[in-house]
Amino acid sequence: MKQRLVLYFLLCALLLTACAPAAAPSESAESFVFYFPAAIPTDGKVFVTLAVSEETAALPLTALLQTYLSTQPPAGAAALLEAWILLSAETDAAVCSLTFAGRAVSPATRSLACACIARTLLQRDGIQRVSFQTPGSDAPLLLSAGDILTQDTG
């Protein structure tokens, strides 16, 4: 009887541990990543990230953006920004304003590229929204963290 009771408790404990939530990915709150669009969204992920050094993360805004724009996308990511050149980058009252020159791209490509840049910059202290002026579009695009779809909802 005691053996059955012990076996029953062990089985319950095993089932409870199987129901525990999975540990969060090992991306520390301190790590800074560059966001790139996934070439083919898998498991609902629309972004591919690339961790960068603390020195890179601490660069002034324009230098950080130039580094981002010149970085080779990691495996599984699509390259989108060959058509754009950064003209200006300014931060005022928690809004980072970016102006790009170059070739116009489709609205979907523009939205995806801006979302990747915004996700990257929103990691910086003091930036809450990113405004984009891009080639081929008269209206600026303003993005905050809540405006960016982070999972493919199919």
Side-chain angles (χ1 to χ4, degrees):
M1 178 73 175
K2 284 185 181 181
Q3 288 177 337
R4 280 188 174 168
L5 190 55
V6 170
L7 185 58
Y8 176 73
F9 283 121
L10 286 175
L11 182 59
C12 287
L14 181 62
L15 288 173
L16 286 174
T17 58
C19 295
S26 61
E27 186 178 300
S28 113
E30 297 293 321
S31 66
F32 192 92
V33 296
F34 285 166
Y35 285 85
F36 296 93
I40 300 172
T42 56
D43 298 328
K45 295 179 182 175
V46 294
F47 296 112
V48 176
T49 59
L50 176 67
V52 297
S53 68
E54 290 180 27
E55 294 81 22
T56 300
L59 288 171
L61 181 62
T62 301
L64 177 67
L65 281 163
Q66 293 294 1
T67 301
Y68 172 81
L69 293 170
S70 65
T71 297
Q72 179 69 30
L80 288 180
L81 299 172
E82 300 89 12
W84 291 354
I85 300 165
L86 180 66
L87 293 180
S88 69
E90 301 170 355
T91 302
D92 184 32
V95 177
C96 178
S97 299
L98 306 177
T99 303
F100 290 92
R103 183 172 46 88
V105 295
S106 72
T109 299
R110 175 185 186 238
S111 294
L112 190 54
C114 291
C116 289
I117 295 169
R119 291 272 302 177
T120 298
L121 294 180
L122 289 168
Q123 297 172 86
R124 292 195 96 167
D125 289 337
I127 297 178
Q128 296 178 5
R129 292 181 290 175
V130 183
S131 173
F132 295 89
Q133 187 64 54
T134 59
S137 177
D138 295 330
L141 176 62
L142 183 64
L143 295 174
S144 66
D147 297 326
I148 302 170
L149 179 67
T150 59
Q151 295 288 321
D152 182 7
T153 58

